[in-house]
Amino acid sequence: MIDEKNALVSTDWLLQHLEAPDVRVVDASWHLPWAKRNGKTEYEEAHIPGAVFFDQEEICDTDSPLPHMLPSPEKMSSRMRGLGLGDGMRIVVYDNSDIRSAARVWFMLKAFGHRDVAVLDGGFQKWRAEGKPIEDIPPVPGPRHFTARFNATLVRELDQMMKNIDSKREQVVDARSAARFNAESEEPRPGMKSGHIPGSLNLPYEKLFNEDGTYRTSEEMAKAFKDAGVDLQKPIVTTCGSGGTAAVLCLALSMIGNHQYALYDGSWSEWGSHPDTPVHPA
């Protein structure tokens, strides 16, 4: 079992365990629409040997008007089974994305009850830079049983976030850039309000990484949260543009030993487009 405080594995560790029968590797690359990159196409061109591709645009609630919301337990179970990801497996997730999209799939697996999951530190960029093996042949995984047990305590919805403005029971930490948080730049998605949830704090996710794309030390990440005004002894809800980089904050919190976290799945895609939500600055 991977210790949640050490929910990262190194490129060297993965290379040594690539053939282990209980280890499965997942490419979770996803890019923002304006990046004009396609994670699946890039996966087909080059990926870590044996890795399957987790399509975040399809393994989601495709009936929701909001982007890549969590799927139903039934859909999650079906898709994981089809990818050969099952109970009792150690799943290592990586990405080749500037927004560190592996964290979102790490969070999804956690939310559906799979505890033995870790993220490849430095991602595919580091793996490739080190000259480690790659391939362009997709594996043909055998189906495995995946038990999806949805943990609602890890997810927040709009009504809960609205009530929290008054109750202040949970701290809200926004992973978006300071410019978006402070309404100094327009939202990239058309028709959205600018600003942030009243009372929320801002910790841009990039502050949790070293220049080479690896996560900073636990001490450095804890300091980044504290510098943003976060009390690490109290419950935290993370948010961002559409629930992706908010998961980076959740992963960081788990690594520094704070397990009182949850993620607002709708994030600003929902809050910023809803007619009744207050924003700051008004």
Side-chain angles (χ1 to χ4, degrees), residues 44-64:
E44 291 170 349
E45 294 171 351
H47 55 263
I48 293 176
V52 295
F53 183 73
F54 189 110
D55 188 349
Q56 295 190 50
E57 291 287 358
E58 197 281 325
I59 306 175
C60 63
D61 181 0
T62 50
D63 293 327
S64 172

Side-chain angles (χ1 to χ4, degrees), residues 242-260:
S242 59
T245 56
V248 172
L249 301 189
C250 291
L251 177 59
L253 287 166
S254 78
M255 289 191 288
I256 62 180
N258 182 305
H259 301 296
Q260 298 183 86

Side-chain angles (χ1 to χ4, degrees), residues 100 120-123 125-126 209-216:
R100 315 299 174 189
L120 179 64
D121 199 16
Q125 300 98 318
K126 188 172 189 288
F209 293 92
N210 298 307
E211 289 187 8
D212 66 353
T214 56
Y215 280 83
R216 298 172 71 182

Side-chain angles (χ1 to χ4, degrees), residues 16-262:
Q16 294 169 7
H17 294 82
L18 211 51
E19 302 297 329
D22 63 334
V23 172
R24 291 294 183 275
V25 185
V26 175
D27 186 323
S29 298
W30 183 82
H31 307 285
L32 293 167
W34 41 93
K36 297 182 179 179
R37 294 176 60 187
N38 186 292
K40 188 172 185 179
T41 298
E42 293 178 4
Y43 162 82
E44 291 170 349
E45 294 171 351
H47 55 263
I48 293 176
V52 295
F53 183 73
F54 189 110
D55 188 349
Q56 295 190 50
E57 291 287 358
E58 197 281 325
I59 306 175
C60 63
D61 181 0
T62 50
D63 293 327
S64 172
L66 300 170
H68 46 79
M69 295 285 283
L70 288 171
S72 67
E74 294 78 16
K75 183 172 184 177
M76 185 70 174
S77 179
S78 171
R79 297 302 187 268
M80 294 306 95
R81 185 167 59 247
L83 290 174
L85 305 174
D87 300 343
M89 289 181 169
R90 176 171 294 183
I91 299 175
V92 177
V93 189
Y94 75 89
D95 66 63
N96 186 22
S97 170
D98 293 337
I99 59 169
R100 315 299 174 189
S101 55
R104 172 68 182 185
V105 174
W106 169 88
F107 177 81
M108 290 178 68
L109 288 163
K110 296 271 293 178
F112 285 103
H114 195 91
R115 292 182 56 83
D116 203 354
V117 55
V119 168
L120 179 64
D121 199 16
F124 191 63
Q125 300 98 318
K126 188 172 189 288
W127 179 274
R128 197 164 196 172
E130 293 170 346
K132 289 181 167 57
I134 59 175
E135 65 182 16
D136 59 5
I137 303 170
V140 183
R144 294 290 297 264
H145 180 72
F146 183 95
T147 305
R149 301 183 183 91
F150 182 61
N151 183 357
T153 65
L154 290 177
V155 182
R156 295 292 177 271
E157 297 181 355
L158 179 64
D159 62 335
Q160 295 170 303
M161 299 300 292
M162 290 283 279
K163 292 175 183 176
N164 190 66
I165 291 177
D166 293 325
S167 72
K168 297 180 174 59
R169 192 181 73 83
E170 297 175 314
Q171 301 167 97
V172 180
V173 187
D174 193 323
R176 293 177 302 154
S177 69
R180 290 176 67 186
F181 183 83
N182 293 317
E184 295 168 350
S185 66
E186 291 186 2
E187 282 297 306
R189 296 177 177 86
M192 285 192 179
K193 295 176 276 193
S194 296
H196 58 264
I197 298 172
S200 59
L201 303 167
N202 185 215
L203 176 55
Y205 74 95
E206 297 96 335
K207 292 188 176 183
L208 300 173
F209 293 92
N210 298 307
E211 289 187 8
D212 66 353
T214 56
Y215 280 83
R216 298 172 71 182
T217 66
S218 296
E219 293 76 17
E220 290 170 333
M221 290 192 291
K223 184 178 184 302
F225 276 98
K226 291 174 183 175
D227 288 348
V230 180
D231 184 343
L232 292 173
Q233 304 305 312
K234 296 180 179 179
I236 297 165
V237 178
T238 67
T239 183
C240 61
S242 59
T245 56
V248 172
L249 301 189
C250 291
L251 177 59
L253 287 166
S254 78
M255 289 191 288
I256 62 180
N258 182 305
H259 301 296
Q260 298 183 86
Y261 63 80

